[in-house]
Amino acid sequence: MSAPGLLSRAQLRTSYLDEGSLPLTAESARELINPVRGMARAWRLLLSLVVLLPLSVVAVFALMIQIYHARPVVELASFWLSVPVWHTLLGGFVLLVCLLRRELRAVLLFLYVVGHELTHAVAALLCLGKVRRFRVGLDGGFIETNKANFFIALSPYFVPIWMLLWLLIFWLINEFHPSDEVQICLYTGFGFWCCFHIYWTLWVIPREQPDMIENGVLFSSLLIFLLNMGMLIAVLAFFGIITAEGYCSDFLYAARRMMHTFADVGELLRRSL
């Protein structure tokens, strides 16, 4: 997202060319050299290096420990053939097939752009802002709002809006008309939209998104990674591969190991000096 009153663009390009960028206006130039914005970026960089980066390493380490301990579960055929797991994987396979067809890929790209800008708009409304313009197309999209913060700017990268809508719809259907068919549709769609979010997020992030540049690429990348990691942990816990209690325990263990490692390195450097 850009500053209040400016267009916020999520330019989805198929290359790294800057052919779709907006020209640098005098107002934009003043924003770039604004000392307040510069100080905010410096604080975000410091936060990224001191907090978000260590948290990311610890989160991955803890997840690896949990997955290692989950081997007795995932080695069972009954686990893979269960309705939730089997149909979630089936949904991911359906997405893969769709991505291999050019015409279907274009439709999926358009759906991603719509969801991306819709998430921006919902986030702006949640922050008590107003959405003045909303545009989507295969070449990208943007919204214009009077609010700007990192939550509004980065929300499409960690909020899988289509997946959440799908789960809400079929959860309501299952509440009033429970059946095996509804369960199958629920999990198949969940797998499809979950993989949809992962694929297009990974596809769009390297394409120099203004949303991320505005808030600092390192800060944005680490925050997006951590929040998506949280979603992955929730999914794995739901399927019984890991447990929330076990993950928290391993997270604290990994954090202590990292602190001890830093302390040992610091002591080694102190002695060498």
Side-chain angles (χ1 to χ4, degrees), residues 138-179:
L138 284 176
D139 61 335
F142 68 87
I143 69 166
E144 182 180 348
T145 178
N146 63 339
K147 283 279 186 178
N149 55 50
F150 75 88
F151 172 69
I152 298 174
L154 302 180
S155 55
Y157 304 100
F158 57 80
V159 177
I161 190 167
W162 295 125
M163 186 188 80
L164 295 178
L165 288 174
W166 181 273
L167 292 178
L168 176 62
I169 291 171
F170 277 89
W171 176 78
L172 291 174
I173 294 174
N174 191 60
E175 284 293 308
F176 294 100
H177 300 284
S179 67

Side-chain angles (χ1 to χ4, degrees), residues 148-252:
N149 55 50
F150 75 88
F151 172 69
I152 298 174
L154 302 180
S155 55
Y157 304 100
F158 57 80
V159 177
I161 190 167
W162 295 125
M163 186 188 80
L164 295 178
L165 288 174
W166 181 273
L167 292 178
L168 176 62
I169 291 171
F170 277 89
W171 176 78
L172 291 174
I173 294 174
N174 191 60
E175 284 293 308
F176 294 100
H177 300 284
S179 67
D180 293 339
E181 290 76 12
V182 172
Q183 291 282 321
I184 290 173
C185 290
L186 172 66
Y187 289 116
T188 304
F190 169 75
F192 180 91
W193 292 114
C194 184
C195 293
F196 176 93
H197 169 74
I198 294 171
Y199 174 80
W200 288 112
T201 299
L202 292 175
W203 182 87
V204 77
I205 282 178
R207 286 164 170 76
E208 299 181 357
Q209 290 300 295
D211 301 326
M212 298 181 63
I213 296 174
E214 178 74 19
N215 293 280
V217 175
L218 181 62
F219 172 81
S220 301
S221 300
L222 290 173
L223 186 62
I224 291 168
F225 174 79
L226 279 171
L227 292 173
N228 280 287
M229 175 70 75
M231 182 184 71
L232 175 62
I233 291 168
V235 171
L236 295 178
F238 173 78
F239 287 127
I241 299 176
I242 67 174
T243 64
E245 182 180 358
Y247 181 82
C248 291
S249 176
D250 288 333
F251 185 91
L252 293 176

Side-chain angles (χ1 to χ4, degrees), residues 15 41 46 55 64 94 118 147 217 252 254 269 271:
S15 71
R41 290 191 178 189
L46 181 63
L55 279 178
M64 291 173 62
V94 171
L118 183 61
K147 283 279 186 178
V217 175
L252 293 176
L269 291 175
R271 290 180 179 179

Side-chain angles (χ1 to χ4, degrees), residues 259-271:
M259 292 176 63
H260 292 159
T261 300
F262 284 155
D264 292 341
V265 171
E267 181 65 20
L268 182 62
L269 291 175
R270 187 185 67 82
R271 290 180 179 179

